[in-house]
Amino acid sequence: MAEKIIFDTDPGIDDALALLLLAAAPELDLMAITVTHGNTSQDKCLSNALKLVELLGIEQVPVARGAQEPLVKELSVAEETHGDGGLGYAVLPEAKLKPVNESAHDLIIRLVNENPNQITLLCVGPMTNIALALLKKPEIAKKVKRIVAMGGSIHYPGNSTPQSEYNVFCDPESYEIVVNAGIDFTLVPLDVTYQCLLTNQHIDQITHARPEIKSFIKESTRFYIEFHAEYQGIQGCAINDPLAAAILIDPTLVENRDYFISVDLSGGPSKAKTIADHYGALKKAPNARVSMAVDVDRFMKLFIERMNRLN
Ligand code: RIB
Ligand code: CA
């Protein structure tokens, strides 16, 4: 039976590629898309999500507007990474589709209550919507099957401050709430996602996707590759969110370690750092399964093969 998924996302170029992957994954039953602030504003992320749903022809999937801003800190956006519109150089037609008139966190609460212990939350942006759902109805923590989240960094440098990864940096308080909610939690940090660099050579292998999909991939990643070269001296672009989605399709792509993870909320130079207690010094039971190794070749092959199914 296909695994039920709610996709919480801040599209965003790599978010968009993750949605393409979900659309090419019969193993997964995409029940809803909930949109969060993050790579750009809520309004732009929501507009991008609706455009992508129409590009993919999956209008049956409800899209819900989510949090406009983080729980505590001020709003951050990453338009140098994803472009003013959030999808790089890609231009998609204005969506006719409208979001459902239920907030993201209310939709999460309702679907989890209607499908107890069956829904996986695939979270590839700041955790604000999930935290709001847990703050409103703490009891849903016992009804969420699991969370798989792209976020954090363990040994790898931060991509937002020297120590913090962007999704956690955007709303560290929400991450701390969610990772300590007692839900089965898989964290997919920069340590593995930055090994997964999509290059033009990979993109050239996407030959069977329909033209508008191929054009979207080319134009969105063209911006994203330029960002990685200019700001991080990296050839290619880290497809962070697609790796988190791919793990739902094939969990053997990664090797995990159980850690007690805490988020630094102290406000100093390591604010929003995800701290793994490697040797159990804090004497606390692990609260996360952290992906610390990835089979890059197998993941890239899977990604390309699935993109070619979008024909
Ligand atoms: O740090 C990478 C993460 O932040 C990705 O999810 C990217 O889309 C941004 O949201
Ligand atoms: Ca994202």
Side-chain angles (χ1 to χ4, degrees), residues 10 14-15 39 82 124-125 150 159 165-167 190 240-241:
D10 59 329
D14 58 333
D15 300 70
N39 286 317
H82 296 268
V124 295
M150 190 280 130
N159 60 356
E165 176 279 327
Y166 188 69
N167 288 337
L190 297 179
N240 312 288
D241 298 344

Side-chain angles (χ1 to χ4, degrees), residues 103-117:
S103 71
H105 66 272
D106 281 337
L107 179 57
I108 290 166
I109 290 166
R110 179 172 62 79
L111 288 179
V112 167
N113 279 326
E114 290 170 359
N115 303 271
N117 304 311

